[in-house]
Amino acid sequence: MAQQATIQGVILDEFNEPVKDVNVSIQGTTIGTASNENGFYQLKVPANQKVVITFTAISYKGGQKELTLKNLQVYELNPVMVSSIEIIDTVVLNTTTREDLEGITTISAKVIRKIPGAQPGVENILKSLPGVSGSNELSTQYRARGGNFDENLIYINEIEVYRPFLIRSGQQEGLSFVNSDMVRSVDFSAGGFQSKYGDKLSSVLDIDYRRPTAFGAGIDASLLGVNAFVEGDAFAKAFTGILGVRYRDNSLLVNSRETEANAIPRFFDAQTYLTYKINPKLELGFLGNIAINSYEFEPRFRQTNFGTLQDPQAIVIRYQGREDDQYETYFGALKASYDATENLSLRFITSVYHTQEQEHYDILANYGLGRPNTDIGGADLGQVDFTTAIGSELEHGRNDLDALIVTAEHRGTLEFPSDKKENDRLDWGIKFSKEDIRDRVREYNVIDSAGFNIRPPFADLANDQPYEPFTGPLVPFESTSADNDVQVTRYQLFGQYSSRGYIKDTEVFWNAGIRSHTWNVSGDGIESTTQTVVSPRGQLAIKPAWNNTDMLFRISGGLYYQPPFYRELRDQQGVVNPAVKAQKSIHAVIGNDWSFNWISSDGKKRPFKLTTEVYYKDLTDVNTYTLENVRIRYRANNDAVAYAYGVDLRINGEFVPGTESWFSAGYLKTEENLNDRGYIARPTDQRLKFAALFQDYVPNMPHLKMYLNLVYNTGLPGGSPNYADPYDFQFRLQDYRRADIGINLVLKDDKKSSKLFSNFAEVTIGAEIYNIFDESNSITNIWVRDVSSQQQFAIPNELTPRVFNVRLVARL
């Protein structure tokens, strides 16, 4: 009786599109499962006996298959479901998924791979969702509902992944950890997520890598680099594996900026996900990643015109020196999944993350302020003939970091099936992690104006040069020097209970859970400090049985903590404060999903969904920070309180038949009160956000497709020097506007045949234009001083201009 076999596969419709929520069961029994959003299913069946497998789904004709399988055999069955149109009595059909009830946004893996962007991938799509923003197209980092980049959780197959520590700008970042060619499904929540997802304040990104069911390979090549993957199975499908390799060179984007430079931004990574089913109950999985990122930058010359038509200004900068950055990360995780019974699943996960990072730079900038030539008919229009206010600035850095993070974790799931319309579930977990970080910080900034050294802005000594001689020591304008050897040990526990059932005809889902997080900070010259936090969380969703109206209402929230990671323990002078508390947020989210059909001009119904969420966060023990490009510097003293509230809206559906598009809008307000000085805007206070992701094709030539990605964000507070008092600098950067477009010609796919590419499953060639309207976006400023007038000027550092790219995609 204990002998079992496995049936698995992908369910498609007559158009070769995946079909989700198909009921797959053994006829005459209660054993069954359902296909996910990618059409994938897996069902365990008794071995050495005849079974009849049935496939049923709403709006599709059912089917069945009779099989007799051997013990441990893995059988692949990929049925095709044919649409069925019948005239029946009025019936309320329940098509609500668990993701809808939990307030999770699901993104198609196919959309992720096709939408254009200067930094394509999962994060590129996230920035088109409401409540999620990012004002640097070269960066994979994002903000969610007023949080910063460090407040987001990322999981791949239940394994938490990490990002480098020392990244200062988007052009240094390179590749995202997530390889889009390996993705099967993507779930995202911008707040109010469950206890099982960890301790962060803002969002969770939960990704599943796929398990291949047959051999496949593909390549995606463009002027920015090459992605390639190969996948397959062996040993009667007991073993599956997928390997992805990526190489990216951002020279096309970096060298198109206003600063003339020799830039060599090269990024490489190799990633694999392997599974092996030892027996029907026990499976091993391995996730491995090696990333080597190199960034060499040697600036030469820059001229930026600014000011007004009545008072035009220009800055001319000549550079000497260079920057050499190197980031090497190695990650390996082993996961054992044991299905003790049909309803009890036990997982054991261990992982090791090792990163070695260096930032070495010496860059001398000699600048002059002047007036550009405004003679429209002149040959030297825009050029600067004479400069005044000559000055220079030397930036020096020798930063080195070595971090090792080791984790061991157990997760369990127990389901309580019933003959009634309900399904209860208990999840629990325990996790141990050890972080060992060695950090060397050496940074200074020397400013010279007209031959005189500029002292620090908060220096007590007066300096009235050149009128009065100054005999004090010469010191840098800014300086940081520290050597840190820090160990952080963490113990985490969580438990949660979920229930899905009915009260009469109204569907009800609720989830309640609690987390405990204990951490200890110690190290060389650091007083050992231990702290513990406990955070309860809950969710409630109700779907009324209303005639002709498909509505779902949600409410979620709880107490969320973010125990400090190493970067949050280190203040702006590089000193580690082990007593930094966990930031705390009371979070409440109210949401509504309205699913409806829009009848187009041809009389056909097209499905749409309007999602609305209103949220509020009350934050205490806030660890304030400054934000420069993507570099965060914490004050590490929990000296503020804050709040955030807003509303997010998203409508998605078939604006064009057969394609999914969406439009997003959001309003956010977040402020902080530092030492009871009053509320001011936080660095992430991006008030308005509009975005659109649109897919289209030529009606008479459906293989010519268009993908459009639009983003508009109002300006962030900031651009001020790091040493500035935030209460004195509350102006905003300019608004961020960007549009990326891709036009692809499909030469071969499952709907178009080709003799030339008969051996390929897909061949696509296309062109992409990034920043199609050539908007001059910026995220930071250069601050220069006019000696004669003692006036400071903020010169924006512009991001990438319009860039053209060509792309070829081929898959077997």
Side-chain angles (χ1 to χ4, degrees):
M1 293 178 61
Q3 293 183 332
Q4 285 187 319
T6 301
I7 300 174
Q8 64 183 26
V10 177
I11 304 175
L12 304 175
D13 61 15
E14 62 263 49
F15 304 108
N16 284 326
E17 293 294 327
V19 182
K20 68 176 182 178
D21 297 329
V22 177
N23 294 317
V24 185
S25 61
I26 302 175
Q27 191 178 63
T29 73
T30 59
I31 301 174
T33 185
S35 60
N36 64 14
E37 63 273 8
N38 296 304
F40 179 80
Y41 75 95
Q42 187 177 71
L43 178 66
K44 295 184 176 102
V45 301
N48 302 318
Q49 58 179 282
K50 183 169 64 178
V51 294
V52 178
I53 308 302
T54 63
F55 299 86
T56 59
I58 296 172
S59 300
Y60 291 92
K61 293 181 179 179
Q64 61 184 31
K65 178 74 172 179
E66 184 177 294
L67 296 168
T68 302
L69 303 180
K70 298 179 182 179
N71 185 34
L72 302 183
Q73 181 179 354
V74 178
Y75 185 85
E76 182 180 353
L77 180 59
N78 301 315
V80 175
M81 305 291 289
V82 179
S83 299
S84 174
I85 301 175
E86 299 178 12
I87 299 176
I88 58 176
D89 295 335
T90 301
V91 177
V92 177
L93 300 177
N94 175 24
T95 58
T96 304
T97 65
R98 180 175 288 271
E99 287 78 12
D100 294 330
L101 297 171
E102 296 175 356
I104 291 175
T105 301
T106 300
I107 304 173
S108 167
K110 184 183 296 186
V111 171
I112 293 170
R113 289 190 284 267
K114 292 185 177 181
I115 299 303
Q119 190 66 276
V122 174
E123 295 85 357
N124 181 47
I125 302 300
L126 291 183
K127 295 174 185 179
S128 68
L129 298 178
V132 184
S133 59
S135 300
N136 189 335
E137 60 272 6
L138 290 178
S139 174
T140 62
Q141 302 184 66
Y142 53 91
R143 302 180 296 270
R145 293 180 176 174
N148 65 31
F149 309 132
D150 292 334
E151 298 179 11
N152 306 310
L153 285 162
I154 301 178
Y155 291 96
I156 296 179
N157 294 79
E158 293 190 306
I159 302 166
E160 185 175 1
V161 298
Y162 307 91
R163 50 176 295 272
F165 291 74
L166 296 183
I167 296 295
R168 290 183 295 117
S169 64
Q171 62 196 46
Q172 298 172 320
E173 265 194 63
L175 299 163
S176 163
F177 187 98
V178 182
N179 189 327
S180 301
D181 289 330
M182 302 170 64
V183 169
R184 183 179 72 182
S185 64
V186 176
D187 294 335
F188 178 78
S189 173
F193 48 86
Q194 297 177 2
S195 298
K196 67 179 181 180
Y197 282 123
D199 294 299
K200 293 286 186 179
L201 293 182
S202 292
S203 74
V204 59
L205 177 63
D206 191 7
I207 296 171
D208 274 344
Y209 279 174
R210 68 175 181 271
R211 303 181 184 188
T213 58
F215 175 79
I219 187 170
D220 185 340
S222 73
L223 298 179
L224 293 172
V226 178
N227 301 349
F229 76 91
V230 62
E231 62 184 14
D233 54 44
F235 308 116
K237 300 188 182 297
F239 173 84
T240 68
I242 181 169
L243 170 66
V245 178
R246 298 180 291 178
Y247 172 78
R248 184 174 175 89
D249 187 337
N250 277 346
S251 299
L252 180 67
L253 298 168
V254 175
N255 289 329
S256 64
R257 300 173 68 178
E258 60 183 348
T259 300
E260 297 179 12
N262 288 329
I264 308 177
R266 293 174 179 171
F267 314 101
F268 167 83
D269 87 335
Q271 196 165 153
T272 186
Y273 180 60
L274 310 173
T275 66
Y276 182 70
K277 184 174 287 294
I278 298 175
N279 57 53
K281 292 189 175 184
L282 179 61
E283 180 182 86
L284 296 180
F286 174 77
L287 175 65
N289 180 75
I290 298 175
I292 301 175
N293 298 336
S294 174
Y295 177 74
E296 300 177 12
F297 184 65
E298 186 177 353
R300 292 181 174 179
F301 177 80
R302 167 181 173 175
Q303 177 180 330
T304 301
N305 297 336
F306 62 100
T308 63
L309 292 175
Q310 292 75 23
D311 184 22
Q313 300 282 340
I315 181 172
V316 177
I317 305 176
R318 290 175 174 82
Y319 295 95
Q320 299 179 53
R322 60 182 288 121
E323 178 176 356
D324 290 309
D325 300 334
Q326 188 81 11
Y327 308 91
E328 296 185 10
T329 60
Y330 305 88
F331 180 81
L334 184 65
K335 178 181 177 181
S337 301
Y338 180 68
D339 295 330
T341 67
E342 183 180 349
N343 303 318
L344 176 61
S345 173
L346 306 174
R347 286 94 67 200
F348 302 88
I349 303 170
T350 61
S351 68
V352 177
Y353 174 81
H354 185 211
T355 180
Q356 293 178 313
E357 307 173 22
Q358 74 167 36
E359 287 182 322
H360 292 180
Y361 55 88
D362 285 287
I363 297 179
L364 175 63
N366 296 293
Y367 69 88
L369 292 172
R371 292 182 179 272
N373 190 309
T374 57
D375 184 4
I376 297 179
D380 57 351
L381 175 66
Q383 297 183 7
V384 179
D385 299 324
F386 177 74
T387 60
T388 59
I390 305 299
S392 64
E393 180 173 348
L394 172 63
E395 292 186 347
H396 168 88
R398 292 293 185 274
N399 301 329
D400 297 278
L401 183 139
D402 190 309
L404 178 67
I405 303 175
V406 180
T407 67
E409 181 178 8
H410 161 63
R411 286 175 175 257
T413 301
L414 177 62
E415 295 187 349
F416 303 93
S418 172
D419 295 335
K420 300 179 180 179
K421 296 180 180 180
E422 60 184 23
N423 183 18
D424 290 3
R425 174 172 169 172
L426 175 66
D427 291 276
W428 69 89
I430 179 171
K431 182 177 181 180
F432 166 82
S433 62
K434 178 75 172 182
E435 302 158 13
D436 190 351
I437 299 168
R438 293 172 174 84
D439 184 22
R440 176 181 181 269
V441 183
R442 297 289 188 276
E443 292 182 6
Y444 63 75
N445 184 13
V446 177
I447 299 178
D448 176 275
S449 185
F452 298 96
N453 182 69
I454 305 299
R455 294 185 59 76
F458 305 113
D460 296 330
L461 300 175
N463 185 353
D464 195 24
Q465 293 186 95
Y467 308 106
E468 296 291 338
F470 179 73
T471 58
L474 296 178
V475 296
F477 191 74
E478 292 183 272
S479 178
T480 301
S481 179
D483 292 278
N484 297 319
D485 186 352
V486 181
Q487 291 80 46
V488 183
T489 304
R490 303 180 189 272
Y491 301 90
Q492 301 178 55
L493 298 168
F494 82 85
Q496 66 177 44
Y497 192 89
S498 305
S499 178
R500 180 178 180 178
Y502 288 83
I503 300 177
K504 294 185 178 180
D505 292 331
T506 299
E507 185 175 6
V508 178
F509 167 84
W510 63 267
N511 171 279
I514 190 168
R515 288 190 65 87
S516 171
H517 193 140
T518 300
W519 72 99
N520 172 267
V521 181
S522 61
D524 187 12
I526 297 175
E527 182 180 355
S528 179
T529 305
T530 301
Q531 300 181 61
T532 299
V533 294
V534 177
S535 55
R537 307 172 190 176
Q539 296 177 320
L540 175 65
I542 298 175
K543 185 176 183 180
W546 292 341
N547 293 328
N548 303 320
T549 303
D550 189 348
M551 285 277 191
L552 173 67
F553 300 92
R554 292 187 305 271
I555 183 170
S556 61
L559 182 59
Y560 290 78
Y561 282 98
Q562 180 160 319
F565 209 58
Y566 171 70
R567 189 155 64 169
E568 297 161 80
L569 295 170
R570 195 181 75 177
D571 67 14
Q572 295 175 325
Q573 301 304 314
V575 178
V576 171
N577 178 10
V580 172
K581 299 178 182 178
Q583 299 183 85
K584 181 171 65 174
S585 173
I586 299 175
H587 196 178
V589 182
I590 299 175
N592 169 253
D593 290 349
W594 176 30
S595 299
F596 60 95
N597 291 319
W598 175 58
I599 301 177
S600 59
S601 57
D602 56 5
K604 295 182 179 180
K605 293 182 179 180
R606 299 183 190 170
F608 283 85
K609 178 187 286 187
L610 174 63
T611 300
T612 305
E613 288 193 334
V614 179
Y615 59 90
Y616 181 81
K617 300 180 183 180
D618 181 51
L619 298 103
T620 54
D621 293 326
V622 174
N623 193 348
T624 56
Y625 57 89
T626 60
L627 179 62
E628 180 183 5
N629 203 310
V630 298
R631 186 186 193 185
I632 299 175
R633 297 186 185 183
Y634 291 93
R635 295 185 176 89
N637 53 13
N638 301 110
D639 57 355
V641 295
Y643 68 84
Y645 66 81
V647 57
D648 291 336
L649 298 100
R650 175 175 177 254
I651 183 170
N652 66 300
E654 292 189 13
F655 292 91
V656 176
T659 66
E660 181 186 16
S661 303
W662 62 73
F663 293 86
S664 303
Y667 172 79
L668 161 72
K669 183 176 182 180
T670 179
E671 293 185 324
E672 63 188 17
N673 184 350
L674 182 63
N675 292 325
D676 292 327
R677 298 176 63 187
Y679 280 94
I680 58 173
R682 304 192 75 193
T684 54
D685 183 34
Q686 202 153 39
R687 292 295 172 87
L688 295 177
K689 187 262 179 69
F690 298 96
L693 190 149
F694 197 80
Q695 303 184 66
D696 200 357
Y697 55 84
V698 178
N700 296 327
M701 193 177 177
H703 300 297
L704 184 60
K705 303 178 183 294
M706 185 274 294
Y707 305 93
L708 182 63
N709 192 3
L710 297 170
V711 175
Y712 168 78
N713 297 324
T714 54
L716 286 167
S720 61
N722 286 321
Y723 57 81
D725 186 341
Y727 283 81
D728 295 334
F729 286 85
Q730 277 294 294
F731 59 86
R732 293 178 178 265
L733 296 167
Q734 63 185 16
D735 294 353
Y736 182 87
R737 305 178 183 88
R738 187 172 181 87
D740 299 329
I741 189 171
I743 299 176
N744 294 342
L745 177 63
V746 179
L747 303 177
K748 171 69 169 64
D749 65 1
D750 51 6
K751 298 179 184 179
K752 181 179 181 180
S753 61
S754 171
K755 293 182 179 180
L756 181 61
F757 303 108
S758 59
N759 294 327
F760 291 85
E762 176 188 355
V763 178
T764 302
I765 188 170
E768 298 176 338
I769 306 176
Y770 309 138
N771 195 5
I772 186 173
F773 300 115
D774 200 21
E775 293 286 346
S776 298
N777 296 310
S778 66
I779 196 171
T780 58
N781 292 322
I782 291 178
W783 291 86
V784 297
R785 183 192 303 265
D786 184 341
V787 176
S788 60
S789 65
Q790 297 298 311
Q791 185 177 0
Q792 279 192 320
F793 295 96
I795 315 299
N797 288 316
E798 295 186 356
L799 296 170
T800 57
R802 183 190 297 119
V803 175
F804 295 85
N805 187 30
V806 293
R807 185 178 178 189
L808 171 67
V809 177
R811 296 175 182 268
L812 295 176

